[in-house]
Amino acid sequence: MRLLVGVCGGIAAYKALETARLAVRAGHAVRVIQTRNSMRFVGRASFAAITGAPVLSSEFEADPTLGAFPGDSLPAYAPISHLALVQNADAYLIAPASAETIAKLAAGIADNLVTSAALAAACPVIVAPAMNGRMYANPATQANLRTLAQRGLTVLAPEEGALASHGEHGLGRLPEPAALLAAVQAAASGARRGPGGGGLAGRHVLVTAGGTREPIDSVRYIGNRSSGRMGLALAAAAAARGATVTCILANVALEPPPGALVRRVETAAELALACRETFPASDLLFMTAAVADFRPLSAAAGKLTKTGPNAPALIELAPTEDVLEQLSAARVPGQVLVGFAAEHGPGGLERARVKLARKQLDAIVVNDVARADIGFDSEYNEATLLTRGGRAVDLPRMPKAELAEALLDHVGGLIGQPLGAGASAGAGD
Ligand code: CTP
């Protein structure tokens, strides 16, 4: 998602910084615009460092990146409008939104970049008020917020707690950054799906992510470079659509999305066990984990030394079970299984088609890990979705969070269909 963040003056501006950081970490491309007053609280340099993009604070200031978001290529011509950023955004979050800015938005006043962008926005606009409790409770502020909500803007409720003014307690605190980001993702994916479509409320989505480690001795293992980023992006996107999400994480250092149920595993055997226990209650499985195909036949007790009687000349390997194939064999009608194939170099699509058929999947997502600009530890990915019905959907390079939304758009609708329904229709048809 391309997220534009408008920051107003207020002590809570520091939370906008943390929200921008979380959004970048979740794979979103973020740009920030600030009111002049907001710069008294957090300077441009902080937002620029976190987003990796210039920060604008005036309608009369040229954007060095010509309205582009991080990861996008620069347009060939400079846009005429200072509103190019909001035109390119998928969502516009105003946080903290001061009482003054809220009043201006309600009156349609566009006297700075933050308010002008709001007036020109075609994407979802999310307003997160933060102010003194008495200012928030004032009928003028309340009437303004009602006006914004009636016009279709998403107005977030502030939280109750200690306020900036010494000793004051009340309603007016900006929600925590993770909650802000979740609200933005929900508003943006709701807009993408259109009213009523694509929701996963009442569904259980199981995501495996990361890479298994097969012990050689008590300190060494055979592992792989999977970070778990793609799986976590899918988990976050499914949660934002209302699903109950379980993540089985194999050696993942990144934070799972708030609210997801998490099981942590190390080896392929532990992953297989966790999947066997969780899969029967799941409607949709995203098997993004990189599972070792072989493990050392026996893990040495203690630490092997390079000299001495237990120095290994060779490590004997034994195959692990194919977890996905086993789950597929045990599926009941209505369950949807999506595999992931990280292929290296030419012929990847053909190899993935063979896996799709052998493992009896509904779809398989293929990407080329020979490329350095996508895949493993990157925030970006580019993939082809192959379906049981023989369709190949090219999903061009985009942030992993956006790819997750696209994948859910394509396979979410298959849940509950009789086994093999995707064969004639093709996932996402
Ligand atoms: N997979 C699995 N269990 C394994 C190996 C793979 O569940 N032991 C799953 C992966 O999580 C992925 C899909 O199968 O969703 C495809 O994984 P991949 O490693 O590409 O396929 P393999 O069958 O292992 O084929 P190969 O390693 O020969 O390419």
Side-chain angles (χ1 to χ4, degrees):
M1 168 173 58
R2 291 176 188 81
L3 171 64
L4 181 63
V5 182
V7 185
C8 302
I11 183 73
Y14 77 92
K15 286 191 185 171
L17 195 61
E18 178 63 7
T19 307
R21 194 180 69 83
L22 288 184
V24 170
R25 254 184 42 191
H28 301 301
V30 181
R31 292 290 309 259
V32 172
I33 53 181
Q34 293 192 252
T35 64
R36 246 176 301 280
N37 276 345
S38 78
M39 289 189 286
R40 294 167 182 254
F41 297 90
V42 180
R44 293 191 206 218
S46 305
F47 283 111
I50 276 177
T51 59
V55 173
L56 306 183
S57 68
S58 154
E59 313 90 294
F60 305 106
E61 190 180 359
D63 180 2
T65 61
L66 312 179
F69 278 68
D72 290 342
S73 46
L74 263 54
Y77 301 99
I80 300 172
S81 161
H82 58 281
L83 301 170
L85 270 180
V86 76
Q87 278 156 12
N88 291 335
D90 299 310
Y92 178 28
L93 167 70
I94 306 179
S98 63
E100 183 190 23
T101 293
I102 289 166
K104 286 181 190 169
L105 296 184
I109 294 172
D111 66 340
N112 63 31
L113 193 52
V114 169
T115 50
S116 305
L119 208 57
C123 62
V125 179
I126 303 100
V127 177
M131 64 196 73
N132 169 279
R134 279 170 289 126
M135 288 171 75
Y136 178 71
N138 187 288
T141 306
Q142 288 301 311
N144 289 335
L145 289 171
R146 265 196 307 279
T147 302
L148 298 186
Q150 279 159 6
R151 289 187 194 142
L153 281 73
T154 301
V155 176
L156 303 182
E159 292 179 349
E160 195 172 339
L163 299 173
S165 25
H166 189 70
E168 273 207 56
H169 184 96
L171 195 60
R173 276 166 65 97
L174 191 69
E176 290 309 310
L180 286 179
L181 182 58
V184 171
Q185 285 173 335
S189 63
R192 190 195 312 256
R193 294 191 309 274
L200 290 174
R203 298 297 188 187
H204 197 144
V205 174
L206 175 59
V207 178
T208 69
T212 61
R213 292 177 180 174
E214 309 304 320
I216 297 170
D217 62 16
S218 61
V219 293
R220 303 180 182 95
Y221 55 81
I222 299 176
N224 61 72
R225 287 178 48 204
S226 181
S227 65
R229 241 177 252 280
M230 190 64 234
L232 293 183
L234 282 160
R241 293 185 184 206
T244 302
V245 177
T246 300
C247 297
I248 300 179
L249 302 182
N251 311 297
V252 172
L254 304 166
E255 278 298 304
L261 306 167
V262 176
R263 288 188 64 164
R264 293 193 185 268
V265 298
E266 277 196 24
T267 64
E270 288 169 12
L271 180 94
L273 179 66
C275 284
R276 266 198 295 278
E277 288 173 358
T278 328
F279 179 67
S282 305
D283 298 296
L284 170 59
L285 166 67
F286 285 114
M287 191 77 182
T288 72
V291 189
D293 292 324
F294 295 93
R295 61 176 176 82
L297 187 59
S298 57
K303 186 181 170 208
L304 292 170
T305 53
K306 70 179 163 218
T307 52
N310 70 353
L314 287 171
I315 298 173
E316 205 177 332
L317 299 178
T320 58
E321 76 175 80
D322 191 315
V323 185
L324 190 53
E325 202 170 325
Q326 299 292 328
L327 295 176
S328 173
R331 64 157 42 170
V332 295
Q335 285 185 303
V336 176
L337 290 92
V338 182
F340 285 72
E343 298 293 341
H344 198 277
L349 280 184
E350 277 323 305
R351 289 193 295 277
R353 269 197 191 96
V354 172
K355 291 176 194 176
L356 173 76
R358 190 180 73 230
K359 304 189 192 209
Q360 289 287 297
L361 307 175
D362 297 282
I364 194 160
V365 181
V366 198
N367 65 342
D368 184 356
V369 286
R371 285 179 45 184
D373 58 333
I374 53 169
F376 285 129
D377 225 355
S378 167
E379 302 281 1
Y380 289 81
N381 210 347
E382 175 178 322
T384 304
L385 177 77
L386 301 177
T387 71
R388 190 190 261 268
R391 269 182 21 136
V393 182
D394 281 327
L395 299 161
R397 184 177 187 273
M398 62 182 108
K400 284 182 175 172
E402 219 169 289
L403 184 62
E405 297 288 352
L407 291 174
L408 276 175
D409 286 344
H410 280 287
V411 302
L414 293 179
I415 297 174
Q417 292 191 12
L419 204 56
S424 52
D429 280 346

